[in-house]
Amino acid sequence: MGKMVKSSVNIRSKTGYSVLVIGAAGFVRTHISAALKRLRFRVLHGNIAGFVNILEVCKNANPQPAIVWASSSSVRKRPNRSTPPASLYAATKKAGEEISHTYNHIYGLSLTGLRFFTVYGRPDMAYFFFTKDILKGKPIPIFESSNHGIVARDVTYIDDIVRVV
């Protein structure tokens, strides 16, 4: 597997860089992968095992590369850190954070984790349902916090995330 990973990061693209996108089937990573391909980067993809394989190769590289990876707010939808993740998706995000922390601590790898909160652009999100209800003259639900205060949140559009990454 190590040979396969090493060969996958060979510089072969028109830009001079290859980019590995772990979990490229996710909403944000699908858009990032598409944008990288449009910019003529060579994109690969994998999962948690792929992430660990890349870290294994990088820990022995000289010089060690800086690694930027992304997580999700889904990991934090828990009352506290000792509460198990509520979904397999959140568990994989949590695993990525723990693995990154461990490789940084043990091997000194430079790892920067990005966490995206409320990225919109998917048609199944509340914003689209709210818009449909408004256009039909229907009321939209107002959510309250546990102390009966109004909940406010900001959002980030998918194209903005892609541009920044």
Side-chain angles (χ1 to χ4, degrees), residues 83-150:
T83 305
S87 69
L88 184 58
Y89 178 75
T92 63
K93 299 293 122 190
K94 178 66 178 156
E97 288 186 1
E98 295 297 332
I99 291 166
S100 293
H101 174 78
T102 302
Y103 272 81
N104 171 261
H105 178 73
I106 295 173
Y107 303 109
L109 279 176
S110 173
L111 292 144
T112 301
L114 306 174
R115 179 168 297 135
F116 306 119
F117 289 88
T118 317
V119 178
Y120 72 97
R122 293 178 2 199
D124 62 336
M125 295 186 75
Y127 307 103
F128 295 98
F129 297 120
F130 292 167
T131 302
K132 287 178 186 176
D133 286 346
I134 290 168
L135 292 173
K136 292 178 183 176
K138 293 181 175 179
I140 60 170
I142 305 296
F143 300 98
E144 292 185 355
S145 65
S146 58
N147 65 357
H148 303 291
I150 293 176

Side-chain angles (χ1 to χ4, degrees), residues 74-88 90-91 94:
S74 296
V75 126
R76 294 292 169 235
K77 292 181 181 175
R78 303 180 293 153
N80 61 57
R81 291 184 65 89
S82 64
T83 305
S87 69
L88 184 58
K94 178 66 178 156

Side-chain angles (χ1 to χ4, degrees), residues 1-9 53 56-57:
M1 183 58 108
K3 286 181 183 178
M4 189 166 56
V5 172
K6 283 181 184 177
S7 70
S8 73
V9 297
N53 285 325
E56 280 294 309
V57 170

